[in-house]
Amino acid sequence: VHLVESGGGLVQPGGSLRLSCATSGFTFENYHMSWVRQAPGKELEWVSTIFPYSGLAHYRETLKGRFATSTDNAKSTLYLEIQNLEPGDTAVYHCGATGAGSPYGSNKPAHYDYWGQGTQVNVSS
């Protein structure tokens, strides 16, 4: 099983990014796919979860409107688009997979069946 995040980098405030999480080794549509981030010196924070088989997505309340998650099921890939980036979005962004029917919204890697190593996003002028 592999989950490989990409797309991070240095972005100016107000800019946008699209992060990707390429997966292999498991049946993508049978899992809930999530993004979890960790800002410097802070705890992991759940960002979003999407159900690939339906496209239904849930977001952390404070991030609604700027964050959008989606999937390409044919490519078993998860995406996160972030608009109007703020310095507070600086973090390592991880993707994780939990079995369909499992609760979503956890910030704990142990609650995920599969977990990626993350991609660094830096928002700074």
Side-chain angles (χ1 to χ4, degrees), residues 53-123:
Y53 53 89
S54 67
L56 179 64
H58 300 273
Y59 297 92
R60 188 175 193 84
E61 190 67 29
T62 54
L63 301 179
K64 283 183 179 179
R66 295 195 300 117
F67 286 63
T69 188
S70 61
T71 63
D72 183 332
N73 295 347
K75 296 181 178 179
S76 298
T77 299
L78 171 71
Y79 300 102
L80 182 69
E81 293 197 47
I82 314 174
Q83 306 290 331
N84 194 21
L85 278 152
E86 304 170 354
D89 295 321
T90 294
V92 176
Y93 285 73
H94 299 269
C95 60
T98 48
S102 300
Y104 65 89
S106 174
N107 67 335
K108 295 178 172 56
H111 290 175
Y112 290 85
D113 296 308
Y114 308 120
W115 182 259
Q117 292 303 303
T119 185
Q120 177 73 51
V121 173
N122 290 309
V123 184

Side-chain angles (χ1 to χ4, degrees), residues 8-27:
L10 176 63
V11 186
Q12 290 189 342
S16 61
L17 274 179
R18 187 174 83 156
L19 308 181
S20 300
C21 171
T23 76
S24 62
F26 64 100
T27 304

